[in-house]
């Protein structure tokens, strides 16, 4: 940590700061500059992160040097994390496609969709049983019945299922049904929920909140890792910006950045990131080309009749086209789309 | 709702859309324009809001006409909501100051702070017992013990207390201690928590998430209102923008906008909105001048030693100065600072 | 244009608005809703866009239905624009790579770089002679001498040159040297400069300002088109968001969106969009996969010694690797990288 | 400047960086940390700001310690700048109100407006003769004739005039008519225009670009100061954020921040910052309370008929109300509204 001092900081102020640092068992190194002096702090920076150093008289600003996350970082683990789910690998050379409707609607429809997507090459089936909705008057999902329907679709097709948990009280229930448990974008910083899924025995697909920085996102992953669950998939799903032509802005930069900073697999969600069906394919291709380990795509046999998110849901023909193009791009970037 | 059609939409496509609308019990009115045609929908728009109209062939875009919230709107309630908490009124001509440390740290310190702030004119005491922290390694609050300390501080000073609940499982506990229950900015769209506090018997201070639009914020208030709790205070606490000179950007526009759109009282939180102690006073004054019904300010007898948020916490002298200036501005804008 | 009325708008107010619209030669259609009434306007919407309809008593809000740009739109021109520059085509099946240093530094270095990039497959050479710099104390470019050096590099290598103009007074000069004239991101809404290059006889590479919406960006292109220059290349170069891990956020969504809305070729600039050398390759691949018609990449024989933007500049080996991977992706997305 | 090294940086890499720094006449200080080592650089940091240190092998990141602006900083000038324009002072205890229509429309109307605003207490008259418009098809202003009309209005009322210059070729012309020359938000980083007004003999009201950070904004002021013009007024006019309820978001934090960092007077523009007439008053009051030295308000005798920006323009009655309330707030915050 570097403490930058104000131009006219007195000797007493400097001494006070130095003592404060040393009282925490850290070493302080004062360095006088031509116009600005600094104090360098050597030792475990986390001891200082809790301290309001910038509230002390004489301090201009404080600049942390270290990354605040540990277990999520590349430095913590030399090899990239590969997660095994049933007979599938997530990460490594594999490129994984999770597809399915926004919400589980009914058993017959879900099974029809699951069969179609399986036939067209999807690796996992998504579908929401618990739905976070902006409006209290909107459809909130089928709950437990939705989970049962997903399990039935898995039995029929063999596709592993990925579904969201919203409430700390439902973690055990959802984890007992799901192959991959999803944390939605509005819960990226629901720290109690992160702790709770930290003790679940299923991999977690953690969506990035729409206004959460990459550093904060990795801190959220850290909550899960630190609570005992090593299998976290980071999923970029679009951030909120000034642009209104699309529902969100896919932060494609985040793909190489997170692969650089962390050993965890990185996915994207082109459906939420664009909000429009016609832009899903292009951004899915971009995600693979940028180095993502997989994508999550909203797909439905009849998007027009979908109960939720129909506007960003592709139909079966579009999904086939996406799979075909991904198959062609894959070898160009060293990927296999099993 | 207005449905804008693509330039070359066929008659069949138009008919299909019209039928879809009429099948929902709504009236559709087709209007041919010179270059663009539209379909106007008359009736209860909420029936359509769930439908993926924009996924239908021939549709260029869909523009909702109505506001999605009802009970939070000015139209729903002619008079402004005034909330009574003990012998205090929130809203109306009253301007309310909630002050206190970020976290409850220990009993002795908390009581010392409470006495000082009471003497300097604070109306309510804040203090976090459950703390949402970006890092899993950071101080997470004293929990139930923190609530007991707050209750003790109330007994000593008579100040009502405002404290945060983060977990659906703690709502009953927190509501049994608090005079005002706070929902933090990271939980603005934690819909299950909103439902849960909807049945609490205490007023809710709902913080705006740092990337939540005003419309979405009012929808979050709607969750609480629709679940039975009429006493919601809207609190603007800074939004996330590209600017890095301050921790967040206080959306001062939101004060007159929310007073225009809703009947609920509107507060701001200058401490989180700036993140820097030296800018708290100016933004508190701005909030009162813009029409806010109150402010929440982080204050401590010794900010330098605060366990959390010290950098944005004012000391007692600064708090006195803030109260004095607010007292002078109040009559100029028709307020009383009892 | 749709005019949404306030709930209790009086008949007099409605009549006043209707008359205002009809006085402009437009037709107004009043439609009474259950809770909200609207007025639909039929005719040339641009006549109304100048009118402060939302300032009129009784008006809740105004929603434009039509796109404000004409010549830049897909509706205006059925086929996609392909621009011929010397023996090269920009747009169509071709994928174009413009590469070179941020600034022209000296003749010897520029020619060395040009030869290296030509050998590795670049199609055009970039280099700034006039540099927009945040600091008045920073290197501002070699000016006319820089243009002469670029011309020399073109003579030696045969590469067409792309260079920026910042000042209305320099348009003629820059256009006399350049094969493609660049408008930088800080000048996307410098309307006088746009008008001036509208009469230049060279293609314009128009960079998107870092906080300019896609609609506004297309309006800026419209300025150039409406002033007589049909050859505009739209270049997405990263937008400003809350994320600080990268210099900007590449808006990859903008690629399919702009190809959908406009007939003009779409490029990206992965160097400015990321600001970091190590992320340039991944985002260049993503751009091609998303459907871009080309990329502009900062490349230098010795990035460490570059006078400007060295941190985001790739070296020759990295550039070779980028070209090789782009060549492999190209056929998967129907592109040729001649 | 602090250079943070990657964890496994070799001794050769460190030596290479140290030599690079010393070759620039600076001192480098290596400091070994437990997990991360840093190099502190002592001396004139601006020598390094041009160097791509972060492109050098072994460097994790570079953190500048000093502010990049000099003449605009509080350190440069101990007293606050007060600008004299005719018999008015801008800055100091004075609070200044500049008011008038968005555009100059015609002589009769302009003089009528000027008289009304003068009578109601405005200190300066605004009005655009050259208008930056998003659309090439929109009204672009009356040009020179607009300036003549403004001069006439000044003759009649005695109000000094403030008007915008957009083009380097018009600086001399506009400065010959105006009392205060405005640089608009789209030209905040039009560096050639900034240089040009640096040699004008009139005070400059510099608007903050809607996506320009405070630090960059002060660098733009620095361009004007460094080119010889000491009279710069900083004007916050709303930044672009994700919020769509208002046209922009008034960055009220920027008022105390800029007064803290710079000696220059700070204004706000509540009209552009909100984009809606009904929110102008509240944000004007907030600006005064936050410490602004003045506001610029769009006002018109008949906003409904204004050629531009009518939706955010107040009428005479609203303007009177604003002036009355500002007069009441002024003494509470140590201001006079002469």
């Amino acid at each position: 940590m570097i403490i930058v001092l104000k131009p006219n900081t007195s000797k007493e102020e400097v001494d006070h700061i130095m003592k404060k640092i040393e009282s925490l068992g850290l070493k302080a190194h004062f360095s006088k500059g031509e116009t600005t002096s600094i104090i360098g702090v050597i030792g475990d920076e986390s001891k200082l992160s809790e301290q309001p150093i910038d509230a002390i008289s004489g301090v201009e600003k404080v600049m942390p040097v270290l990354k605040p996350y540990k277990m999520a970082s590349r430095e913590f683990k030399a090899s990239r994390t590969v997660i095994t789910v049933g007979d599938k690998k997530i990460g490594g050379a594999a490129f994984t496609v999770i597809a399915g409707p926004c919400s589980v609607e009914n058993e017959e429809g879900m099974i029809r969709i699951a069969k179609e997507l399986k036939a067209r090459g999807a690796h996992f089936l998504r579908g929401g049983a618990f739905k976070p909705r902006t409006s209290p008057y909107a459809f909130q999902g089928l709950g437990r019945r939705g989970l049962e329907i997903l399990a039935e679709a898995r039995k029929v097709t063999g596709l592993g299922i990925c579904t969201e948990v919203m409430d700390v009280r439902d973690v055990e229930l959802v984890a007992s049904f799901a192959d991959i448990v999803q944390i939605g974008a509005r819960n990226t910083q629901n720290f109690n929920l992160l702790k709770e899924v930290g003790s679940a025995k299923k991999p977690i697909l953690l969506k990035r909140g729409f206004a959460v920085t990459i550093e904060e996102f990795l801190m959220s992953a850290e909550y899960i890792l630190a609570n005992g669950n090593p299998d976290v998939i980071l999923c970029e799903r679009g951030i909120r910006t000034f642009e209104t032509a699309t529902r969100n802005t896919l932060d494609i930069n985040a793909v190489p950045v997170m692969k650089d900073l962390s050993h965890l697999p990185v996915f994207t969600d082109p459906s939420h990131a664009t909000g429009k069906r016609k832009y899903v394919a292009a951004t899915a291709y971009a995600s693979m080309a940028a180095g993502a380990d997989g994508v999550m795509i909203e797909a439905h046999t009849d998007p027009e009749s979908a109960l939720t998110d129909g506007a960003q849901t592709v139909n079966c023909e579009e999904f086939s086209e996406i799979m075909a193009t991904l198959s062609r791009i894959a070898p160009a970037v060293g990927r296999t789309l099993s």
Side-chain angles (χ1 to χ4, degrees), chain A residues 44-66:
Chain A
D44 180 4
E45 193 168 276
S46 70
K47 285 184 191 165
L48 263 185
S49 68
E50 294 287 296
Q51 299 293 325
I53 301 295
D54 34 8
I56 302 181
S57 171
V59 174
E60 171 84 25
K61 64 175 169 179
V62 169
M63 305 190 299
V65 163
L66 300 184

Side-chain angles (χ1 to χ4, degrees), chain A residues 16-205:
Chain A
H16 174 72
I17 300 164
M18 303 280 283
K19 265 183 210 135
K20 176 97 188 177
I21 292 162
E22 282 157 8
S23 74
L24 295 159
L26 301 165
K27 269 194 272 187
H29 176 86
F30 177 73
S31 171
K32 191 157 183 58
E34 270 178 37
T35 54
T36 296
S37 297
I38 62 173
I39 296 173
V41 180
I42 298 163
D44 180 4
E45 193 168 276
S46 70
K47 285 184 191 165
L48 263 185
S49 68
E50 294 287 296
Q51 299 293 325
I53 301 295
D54 34 8
I56 302 181
S57 171
V59 174
E60 171 84 25
K61 64 175 169 179
V62 169
M63 305 190 299
V65 163
L66 300 184
K67 292 167 187 150
Y69 45 88
K70 295 186 180 78
M71 297 176 73
S73 75
R74 281 277 294 285
E75 287 75 18
F76 182 78
K77 191 177 166 202
S79 62
R80 300 208 69 83
T81 289
V82 176
I83 300 171
T84 303
V85 191
D87 62 344
K88 295 275 186 300
K89 301 277 183 199
I90 291 175
F95 187 85
T96 303
V97 178
I98 303 174
C102 178
S103 304
V104 180
E105 295 164 1
N106 59 62
E107 184 167 338
E108 193 196 330
M110 192 71 221
I111 287 171
R112 186 170 49 240
I113 294 171
K115 283 179 175 172
E116 289 284 355
L117 296 177
K118 164 84 175 179
R120 292 158 200 272
H123 304 112
F124 289 90
L125 181 68
R126 62 152 288 152
F130 297 99
K131 298 299 308 168
R133 303 306 302 280
T134 309
S135 168
Y137 310 119
F139 173 59
Q140 311 265 326
L142 298 180
R144 189 192 173 92
R145 176 71 192 126
L147 297 174
E148 291 165 354
I149 292 173
L150 284 168
E152 190 59 30
R154 173 174 51 200
K155 210 167 78 182
V156 174
T157 61
L159 289 173
I161 60 178
C162 173
T163 193
E164 177 168 353
V165 66
M166 289 173 62
D167 191 309
V168 285
R169 296 168 298 197
D170 296 328
V171 169
E172 205 176 312
L173 173 72
V174 174
S176 74
F177 279 91
D179 298 286
I180 301 171
V181 174
Q182 178 182 320
I183 300 288
R186 282 176 186 77
N187 284 315
T188 308
Q189 295 194 311
N190 182 336
F191 302 117
N192 290 34
L193 185 58
L194 298 178
K195 284 181 199 169
E196 207 73 29
V197 298
S199 50
K201 301 295 175 220
K202 293 290 171 64
I204 307 302
L205 184 134

Side-chain angles (χ1 to χ4, degrees), chain A residues 138-322:
Chain A
F139 173 59
Q140 311 265 326
L142 298 180
R144 189 192 173 92
R145 176 71 192 126
L147 297 174
E148 291 165 354
I149 292 173
L150 284 168
E152 190 59 30
R154 173 174 51 200
K155 210 167 78 182
V156 174
T157 61
L159 289 173
I161 60 178
C162 173
T163 193
E164 177 168 353
V165 66
M166 289 173 62
D167 191 309
V168 285
R169 296 168 298 197
D170 296 328
V171 169
E172 205 176 312
L173 173 72
V174 174
S176 74
F177 279 91
D179 298 286
I180 301 171
V181 174
Q182 178 182 320
I183 300 288
R186 282 176 186 77
N187 284 315
T188 308
Q189 295 194 311
N190 182 336
F191 302 117
N192 290 34
L193 185 58
L194 298 178
K195 284 181 199 169
E196 207 73 29
V197 298
S199 50
K201 301 295 175 220
K202 293 290 171 64
I204 307 302
L205 184 134
L206 177 66
K207 292 242 189 136
R208 180 182 179 189
F210 51 69
V212 164
T213 64
I214 292 172
E215 187 171 291
E216 290 168 344
F217 186 32
L218 292 174
M219 290 303 282
S220 289
E222 188 85 8
Y223 258 97
I224 303 173
L225 300 172
N227 279 280
N229 189 338
D231 292 337
V232 177
I233 301 164
L234 304 168
C235 184
E236 156 63 32
R237 48 75 77 202
I239 59 173
R240 188 159 270 189
T241 69
F242 63 85
E243 179 57 66
T244 54
T246 47
R247 185 169 166 188
N248 291 292
T249 298
L250 176 63
D251 182 2
I252 194 77
N253 290 0
V255 174
V257 170
M258 295 195 297
K259 301 224 33 160
D260 185 34
L261 297 177
S262 177
H263 55 86
L264 297 168
V266 173
F267 275 45
T268 73
D269 173 344
S271 305
H272 285 88
T274 60
K276 295 194 180 171
R277 183 178 173 177
K278 58 185 165 182
Y279 304 135
V280 170
T283 46
Y285 308 154
S287 299
M288 175 184 263
D293 298 295
V295 285
M296 171 174 254
I297 290 178
E298 292 190 343
H300 196 290
T301 47
D302 181 16
E304 240 187 71
S305 76
L307 286 182
T308 50
D309 273 356
Q312 67 192 32
T313 300
V314 299
N315 64 26
C316 291
E317 291 63 45
E318 290 162 333
F319 185 69
S320 288
E321 169 66 21
I322 290 172

